Each structure stands twice: as C-alpha cells, then as structure tokens.
Amino acid sequence: MKKRLFASVMAMMVAAGCLVGCGGGSSSSVDSVDAAGEAGGDTYNWKMALNSTAGDNAYDTAAVFADKVKELTSGKVNVELYGGASLGSTSEVLEGLSYGVADIICESVGTLATFTPLANIDAMPYIYSDYDHFMDVWYSDLGQEMKDTIGEASGFKLMGGTFRGPRIVTSTKEMHNVNDFKGFKLRAPNLEMYLKTWQWMGAAPTPMAMNETYTALQQGTVSGQENPMADSMNYAFNEVCKYWIKTNHVYSCNLFIMDANYYNGLPEDIQAAVTEAAEFAGQEVSVKQLEKEEAAEAKLVEQGCTVIDVDRDAFKAHFDGFADQNFPDLKDWTERIKAMDAGE
C-alpha cells in the first residue's frame, strides 16, 4: 500500500515539476538569496495542505499562522495555503510530507492514529470539562509531552493546539439520556476511538464521508451525526436535523504537523519562529472558535431547532472504565488530563 502511495506521490511531484529543488524534508522550496545582506539568508516557500476552506477552524488557524510566521521571520518564511484537499487527502499528505507533497499540514491530532495509537487520545470521550480545561492542558507541560511523544512515535513535529469546539450530536429524533442512544444509527468518523465510543453507548456508528452525510440524513440512512456545533452549521445540518444534543463528548485539537527530519534540519531561529507562530495561531483562533460556538447556538434557536442540554455527569459516568478496557496505553494521559480540571 505504501509503495503504491509512494509511486503516486512521486508521479504527482513530477507532474507539478517539483522533483528538482522543491523541497521540504525534501519538501520545501528553499531559495538562496543573492543579496544576502538584504534578506539575511535563505527564504522558505512552504505549501500548507488543508482539507477545508476559509471559515473552517483548521483553515483559519493556518491563515493566522502564515501571517505570523512571515512577520516573525521578516519575510524569510512564506506559506501558501492549499485548501479543499487540493494536495490530496489527509492520509496522502501525511504519508507524503517527506516526499514533497506539502511542507506542513493543519489537522487534528487524531488523524495520526494510523501512525501511532497514542494519537487516539485526541478523541478520548469525557476527559475535558470545558474550554478552559482544554486550553490549560494543551498549553501545559502535559500538552507538550503529548505532542512530543506522539510526534516521536509517528515521525512528525507537532506544534500549537486549537480548540475546535466540543462535539455534539445532531439528530432527527429527540434524545436526552444514555439509554436513548441505544440502537441509534449515526454517521461517525472511521477511526477506532470514535467507533468504540458509540458502540460503548449501544449506538450503531456508521462510517461515512462528510459529503455524503447530508443526503444520508435526508433519506434516513442515518438518524444523526456528531461534530462541533459551528462545523455542523457549516454543513447545513440544521436543515435536516431538528434536535441538537449537547453531549460535548469529545474536545478535539487541531495542530500543525511537519516532517520531523525536515523540521529538525531547519535553522534554530526558523524553528523558534514556526513554533511561536503555531502557538499564537492556536490561541487566537481558539478564542474566536468559542465565540462562533455561542453564535451558532443562538442562531439554531432562532431557526426553530431544539438545543438539548443533557446531564453530562451521567454520560461521563457511563464511560468509567472505557479507557482501561479499550485503550490501556492511554490510561495515564487520561487520568492526568482529568486531574488538571480546575472545576473538579
């Protein structure tokens, strides 16, 4: 599989004229500056791969990052955004970072689960209580430890950390408690953590592409889906789902991912600027995302949708033993994350 992917990646690079001087891990375009005194050394022209377009959490985080890293490096680092998966799917880009498909990507930690099971911590249910708890963790020594450990295990450098909003359930039927979810058929990401989460609830998770979900809800193929509220609004699920259930079961984190070998080969000042820009972008967009979530809920109510607050303590209690039974390697991180909740 990886050999076939490598062949397709190389073919893409040849077609784009990138085999010579394109870069980064072998991926980035690094241009020697003739007027050394004028520009102060090499410049780096990087391609940022994104699944989404403007208005999405990851894309907006990437846009802030691009501006900030250019500022911090006095124009030495220039980042061009390639949205709408124009450089390939997330898995293709991650596999191809060291081959030159892209230089950097902004995506959730959980997308690295195919490289290391440690990345599953991103979607562990009911380990965060709210926004403050999430931010306290990801911008702490524990957050850096998770980024470093997951990065070392997968061959990437992980930086920043953006709040995406808690994942909630949009449904065609009204639900209030854990028992209501038994047999409930919903679209879920095709990742082990998400599938086991909903199976633990007694639901019937159905892996499906996001671009197929709206039609599936219309036709009754599934009765719901789960995503952050603002994201769900962007997909217009308010048109097909009357009930929005604030389960707040997962707080996922978007961050910046680079090939570790390439990052480690950068000059120290460029490394420092990239890391600072990633953290700046993550914190700035996190605040905006919190505001977007609040605005989305108000708009839903205006449009006649029913927003349901559930007893999240009861849902949280239902997941006692979940990590021990399904992901014992993540038990330590799970307990340490929970212990950082100032509200407990």
Side-chain angles (χ1 to χ4, degrees):
M1 175 68 179
K2 288 189 178 182
K3 289 182 179 178
R4 289 198 301 272
L5 179 56
F6 176 79
S8 66
V9 165
M10 296 304 288
M12 289 166 57
M13 291 171 63
V14 170
C18 288
L19 276 177
V20 178
C22 193
S26 64
S27 83
S28 121
S29 174
V30 181
D31 303 320
S32 294
V33 178
D34 293 330
E38 181 179 340
D42 292 339
T43 59
Y44 302 82
N45 297 312
W46 290 342
K47 296 174 291 183
M48 170 83 77
L50 297 152
N51 271 331
S52 54
T53 54
D56 177 83
N57 182 282
Y59 193 100
D60 292 351
T61 303
V64 174
F65 168 85
D67 288 342
K68 189 65 175 179
V69 76
K70 185 174 184 177
E71 173 195 325
L72 291 172
T73 61
S74 300
K76 285 184 181 181
V77 176
N78 297 284
V79 180
E80 185 171 358
L81 308 187
Y82 289 80
S86 57
L87 296 181
S89 67
T90 299
S91 59
E92 289 170 340
V93 171
L94 289 172
E95 289 279 5
L97 278 178
S98 62
Y99 304 139
V101 170
D103 303 286
I104 186 168
I105 181 172
C106 186
E107 254 297 347
S108 68
V109 180
T111 58
L112 298 177
T114 55
F115 295 87
T116 171
L118 295 175
N120 279 311
I121 192 64
D122 183 54
M124 182 70 74
Y126 292 105
I127 54 175
Y128 300 101
S129 62
D130 56 21
Y131 169 84
D132 289 334
H133 182 200
F134 173 91
M135 295 299 290
D136 286 347
V137 169
W138 281 103
Y139 286 91
S140 70
D141 290 342
L142 173 56
Q144 191 60 52
E145 178 186 332
M146 291 193 291
K147 284 183 278 191
D148 290 343
T149 305
I150 294 168
E152 289 168 6
S154 58
F156 299 110
K157 174 64 178 179
L158 312 185
M159 297 165 288
T162 308
F163 173 74
R164 297 179 62 192
R167 295 179 81 93
I168 59 100
V169 175
T170 73
S171 173
T172 58
K173 68 173 187 175
E174 187 171 358
M175 295 186 292
H176 293 269
N177 54 56
V178 172
N179 288 334
D180 289 340
F181 282 86
K182 293 189 183 302
F184 179 65
K185 192 171 185 180
L186 79 165
R187 180 268 174 189
N190 191 21
L191 294 170
E192 183 184 17
M193 179 66 78
Y194 286 101
L195 298 177
K196 286 191 173 180
T197 293
W198 292 108
Q199 289 164 357
W200 189 270
M201 289 272 286
T206 303
M208 182 183 298
M210 279 301 292
N211 60 6
E212 299 173 0
T213 305
Y214 184 98
T215 301
L217 286 162
Q218 271 187 321
Q219 297 176 346
T221 306
V222 295
S223 298
Q225 66 84 42
E226 50 95 54
N227 261 300
M229 188 174 285
D231 290 355
S232 295
M233 287 284 285
N234 289 341
Y235 283 102
F237 290 138
N238 51 301
E239 297 175 357
V240 287
C241 292
K242 180 179 179 181
Y243 301 100
W244 292 57
I245 301 114
K246 294 174 68 175
T247 48
N248 294 15
H249 49 283
V250 166
Y251 285 69
S252 181
C253 180
N254 275 337
L255 40 63
F256 294 95
I257 305 169
M258 296 186 77
D259 176 72
N261 289 331
Y262 176 60
Y263 174 87
N264 291 333
L266 291 171
E268 289 185 5
D269 63 323
I270 300 298
Q271 288 184 9
V274 170
T275 301
E276 182 179 342
E279 294 191 352
F280 175 85
Q283 294 187 42
E284 179 166 302
V285 176
S286 291
V287 173
K288 293 179 180 178
Q289 186 67 37
L290 188 63
E291 296 170 352
K292 285 171 68 175
E293 292 289 310
E294 294 170 352
E297 182 167 350
K299 188 173 182 179
L300 281 170
V301 174
E302 288 177 8
Q303 293 177 347
C305 291
T306 301
V307 178
I308 300 172
D309 267 311
V310 300
D311 181 356
R312 280 186 288 277
D313 287 339
F315 279 74
K316 183 177 179 180
H318 181 77
F319 279 87
D320 286 347
F322 177 81
D324 300 31
Q325 183 170 322
N326 294 286
F327 300 93
D329 290 346
L330 300 178
K331 183 179 177 182
D332 177 63
W333 279 351
T334 296
E335 293 178 348
R336 290 167 66 191
I337 289 171
K338 290 180 178 180
M340 287 188 66
D341 184 2
E344 286 292 311

